[in-house]
């Protein structure tokens, strides 16, 4: 199945991030969009989550649309 990996490349923990997944058909027409939410990714760590599949999609594009973290002293 489809999975999305988010890598926190900062030196602070990431409390929350939302990734938008865009689904395209063979003609490169956007046919659907979904969002998945990542929570509590430590600095320098990765997290992989399953993402919804779309039976008509030939490929996807992913983009982080929001992220919040907390700077630690």
């Amino acid at each position: 199945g489809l999975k999305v990996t988010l890598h926190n490349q900062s030196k602070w923990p990431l409390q929350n991030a939302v990734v938008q997944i865009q689904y395209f058909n063979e003609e490169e027409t956007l046919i659907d969009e979904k969002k998945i939410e990542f929570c509590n990714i430590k600095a320098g760590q990765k997290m992989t989550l399953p993402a919804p599949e779309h039976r008509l999609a030939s490929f996807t594009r992913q983009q982080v649309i929001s992220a919040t973290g907390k700077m630690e002293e």
Side-chain angles (χ1 to χ4, degrees), residues 29-73:
T29 302
L30 177 65
I31 54 176
D32 201 3
E33 295 179 329
K34 301 284 184 186
K35 295 176 185 169
I36 59 173
E37 184 175 0
F38 291 81
C39 298
N40 302 318
I41 305 174
K42 294 179 182 178
Q45 298 294 309
K46 296 178 185 177
M47 181 181 285
T48 301
L49 294 177
E53 294 191 38
H54 194 291
R55 65 181 182 86
L56 300 177
S58 295
F59 67 96
T60 64
R61 290 187 184 133
Q62 301 82 33
Q63 175 178 318
V64 176
I65 58 172
S66 70
T68 57
K70 184 175 182 182
M71 294 173 51
E72 295 181 344
E73 300 293 325

Side-chain angles (χ1 to χ4, degrees), residues 6-46:
L6 186 62
H7 184 191
N8 179 5
Q9 297 179 337
S10 75
K11 56 184 176 179
W12 297 288
L14 189 59
Q15 293 174 318
N16 180 275
V18 177
V19 174
Q20 180 180 50
I21 305 166
Q22 297 179 317
Y23 300 86
F24 295 86
N25 63 15
E26 289 179 358
E27 291 80 34
E28 298 187 19
T29 302
L30 177 65
I31 54 176
D32 201 3
E33 295 179 329
K34 301 284 184 186
K35 295 176 185 169
I36 59 173
E37 184 175 0
F38 291 81
C39 298
N40 302 318
I41 305 174
K42 294 179 182 178
Q45 298 294 309
K46 296 178 185 177

